[in-house]
Amino acid sequence: MAPKKDRAFQKCINPDCGVQYDCSQTLVKCPACGHLLDIAYDWNRIPVPKKLSDFGKRWADRNNPLDFSGVWRFRELLDFCDDPHKVTIGEGQTILQRNDELAAQLGIRPGRLFLQYEGLNPSGSFKDNGMTAAFSHARRVGAQSSACASTGNTSASMALYAHSCGIKCTVFIGSGRIAYGKLSQSMDYGGKTLQVQGDFDDCMKQVQDVCRELNIYLVNSLNPFRLEGQKTIMYRIIEQLGWELPDWIVVPGGNLGNSSSFGKAFAELKQLGLIDRVPRMAVINASGADTLTHLVNNKKLRWNAGRVDNKAIGDFYAELTAKKFSPHTCASAIEISRPVNLTKCLRALDVCNGVVLAVTDAKIIDAKAQIGLYGLGCEPASAATIAGLKHLLADGVIRPDERIACVLTGHALKDPTVTVNYHKDKMGPFSNPPIEVPNDLQEIIRRMTV
Ligand SMILES: *Cc1c(COP(=O)(O)O)cnc(C)c1O
Ligand SMILES: [Zn+2]
């Protein structure tokens, strides 16, 4: 007799393999073929609400931590562990702000531009959506120790969740490539920090080997459970639009975990009959870390029903290695040239009829200052969305009457250095530098009135 199957299982995304694994296993890649894994569900065995608005009712119950969590409120859509294993510290209390002022600046019609502030999460970035899910799975499998490679926010979030459930954690960061706001967090939350002499891609490789050697739980976005938690960002956008869909989702692209999980979220909602169409998606790279843009726009790399041209990817990475290329952008959270979720992102672009493009650092920091003027602010990587949106409007890809939701992935205070330099050094049209005045009343009054 076949073993009793769980309602959730892990499944290789390669259609020529497709091997399934139990959720009690800790895997980051398919042991049979080395491709990425998905979490798949036997939906017939999960009591998914008949309509999305049923999830909204839970919001009102602040006494049940799982109902209050902006992630676990949607638990039937990520049903891979039982409630006692779930770890929550109030993630996902984030808002979708309608921003008509910024819309007007960009030539977008009123009521059409929305900013999803994921910086409002407990550790200040969207990563908490994924970390609550990864650590719930880590508890299910009894993990003692966790690790990640990080440009900063993954480590901050990991350290917070690891500490809250008594699991040890180690952060791998590249030397000199981390914003201080983020580094300060993982140290404060008790994470062990290893500063590797290399960049993020080097750290990513090392941490995978270390986790395999020492049987440590890896929480980078290779971890398929983490991506399940990040799906809820999309559910909350729909919720805050009164259970209506936007026309466009705009998201920065780094390791491509977010874009991958958003595509999966929409594919599943459609399959379940909870939505009747899928929004389009724009993934925005920084031009100093534009692997996705290069491969999709120049090399025409596509999902191709799962038969991705891995040779094209391998050739491009070999070129990067030969050139000793290291990615460079002020948006440190997306300073990644070998994105681990590349193939899943191609699938998401396929599901969402997506587009990708790269924007310069100058455009990113201008957009960051603009967002700061009109809203709650964000870190540079998040502002790539608005910088990219400007291009897409100019190119006529996105129309000014379409409903657009930009995901602002991290809090403005994560990287004060970039912000201070932009203003102090008058780097762009939105710079607002401090004015030095002598300690003299008349002089101060004079400066204040000019
Ligand atoms: C991690 C991160 C990103 C990149 O997200 P991916 O899912 O890796 O593409 C973007 N912005 C911020 C603030 C981040 O912390
Ligand atoms: Zn496989």
Side-chain angles (χ1 to χ4, degrees):
M1 203 177 86
K4 189 169 157 289
K5 246 180 61 189
D6 202 350
R7 57 194 185 271
F9 51 94
Q10 308 186 68
K11 184 166 187 266
C12 177
I13 70 164
N14 170 11
D16 294 325
C17 172
V19 175
Q20 299 183 5
Y21 306 91
D22 202 89
C23 284
S24 60
Q25 281 183 276
T26 304
L27 303 164
V28 287
K29 283 186 176 169
C30 172
C33 77
H35 278 80
L36 296 169
L37 295 168
D38 256 342
I39 308 307
Y41 301 95
D42 184 354
W43 294 114
N44 295 324
R45 303 184 47 201
I46 300 173
V48 180
K50 292 282 167 288
K51 46 187 199 318
L52 278 172
S53 56
D54 292 346
F55 288 109
K57 300 192 182 106
R58 290 179 176 158
W59 190 226
D61 184 1
R62 303 179 80 87
N63 295 321
N64 177 355
L66 293 183
D67 281 350
F68 187 55
S69 163
V71 171
W72 297 112
R73 205 143 47 82
F74 298 98
R75 53 193 170 268
E76 287 84 357
L77 299 173
L78 53 155
D79 195 7
F80 59 78
C81 71
D82 294 329
D83 287 354
H85 289 127
K86 288 175 185 148
V87 38
T88 174
I89 48 178
E91 58 287 326
Q93 316 295 332
T94 61
I95 57 168
L96 183 75
Q97 179 201 39
R98 170 175 158 176
N99 194 324
D100 287 353
E101 286 101 309
L102 185 56
Q105 287 241 332
L106 304 184
I108 297 170
R109 269 187 31 199
R112 294 276 131 184
L113 177 64
F114 296 85
L115 306 178
Q116 175 70 11
Y117 284 96
E118 288 300 313
L120 298 176
N121 274 293
S123 81
S125 85
F126 80 83
K127 298 290 196 305
D128 295 347
N129 292 284
M131 229 38 96
T132 184
F135 277 94
S136 298
H137 179 250
R139 295 225 303 181
R140 172 177 170 170
V141 299
Q144 305 287 314
S145 195
S146 60
C148 71
S150 180
T151 61
N153 284 332
T154 305
S155 56
S157 184
M158 171 181 73
L160 185 53
Y161 279 87
H163 198 252
S164 78
C165 59
I167 294 177
K168 291 201 203 72
C169 75
T170 308
V171 179
F172 287 58
I173 57 168
S175 39
R177 301 294 184 80
I178 188 168
Y180 280 132
K182 307 177 186 183
L183 181 59
S184 67
Q185 286 181 286
S186 57
M187 295 190 299
D188 228 18
Y189 301 143
K192 178 185 281 184
T193 307
L194 297 184
Q195 204 153 7
V196 179
Q197 292 172 353
D199 62 19
F200 175 82
D201 298 300
D202 299 320
C203 291
M204 193 64 237
K205 184 177 177 316
Q206 295 293 354
V207 76
Q208 289 184 61
D209 293 345
V210 169
C211 285
R212 204 176 321 108
E213 288 279 310
L214 301 180
N215 190 27
I216 289 173
Y217 193 87
L218 180 70
V219 298
N220 277 101
S221 53
L222 273 175
N223 180 315
F225 296 95
R226 217 188 94 179
L227 298 191
E228 291 305 287
Q230 290 169 212
K231 295 190 300 192
T232 62
I233 301 169
M234 294 300 104
Y235 308 152
R236 297 198 299 270
I237 287 179
I238 303 173
E239 175 177 46
Q240 292 171 95
L241 290 174
W243 306 105
E244 287 179 14
L245 289 165
D247 299 307
W248 283 92
I249 297 291
V250 187
V251 60
N255 242 339
L256 306 177
N258 252 348
S259 44
S260 299
S261 76
F262 299 169
K264 186 171 188 282
F266 290 122
E268 288 172 350
L269 292 181
K270 184 97 196 303
Q271 187 199 341
L272 288 165
L274 291 167
I275 57 174
D276 55 10
R277 67 178 175 90
V278 168
R280 295 190 70 186
M281 178 160 62
V283 184
I284 318 297
N285 278 154
S287 50
D290 66 347
T291 292
L292 178 73
T293 304
H294 175 75
L295 290 174
V296 170
N297 292 355
N298 302 347
K299 299 284 179 206
K300 309 292 174 208
L301 189 71
R302 295 291 181 272
W303 168 243
N304 192 24
R307 293 181 177 85
V308 174
D309 184 354
N310 289 304
K311 184 173 174 305
I313 302 171
D315 288 351
F316 180 63
Y317 288 176
E319 259 176 58
L320 293 183
T321 307
K323 280 195 292 198
K324 293 197 169 49
F325 177 85
S326 210
H328 265 290
T329 165
C330 69
S332 55
I334 52 175
E335 191 179 59
I336 294 171
S337 64
R338 290 171 176 76
V340 297
N341 290 298
L342 178 60
T343 47
K344 281 189 180 176
C345 177
L346 294 173
R347 181 177 64 181
L349 291 170
D350 192 66
V351 168
C352 298
N353 186 15
V355 297
V356 305
L357 84 162
V359 291
T360 63
D361 278 11
K363 295 266 167 62
I364 288 175
I365 48 175
D366 277 345
K368 200 199 81 67
Q370 254 179 309
I371 295 165
L373 263 180
Y374 298 112
L376 292 168
C378 64
E379 66 168 279
S382 317
T385 54
I386 293 295
L389 176 57
K390 290 179 190 173
H391 279 279
L392 293 166
L393 287 161
D395 292 347
V397 177
I398 297 184
R399 291 193 321 267
D401 61 343
E402 291 188 287
R403 184 143 70 170
I404 307 151
C406 297
V407 182
L408 300 186
T409 44
H411 198 282
L413 295 177
K414 286 283 191 174
D415 193 347
T417 314
V418 167
T419 308
V420 170
N421 290 345
Y422 177 81
H423 291 294
K424 193 168 58 63
D425 300 341
K426 304 197 183 93
M427 290 169 72
F430 304 96
S431 291
N432 179 26
I435 303 159
E436 279 195 46
V437 289
N439 185 14
D440 176 279
L441 179 62
Q442 290 313 318
E443 267 305 299
I444 291 174
I445 289 173
R446 198 178 67 76
R447 300 292 172 90
M448 283 185 72
T449 49
V450 288

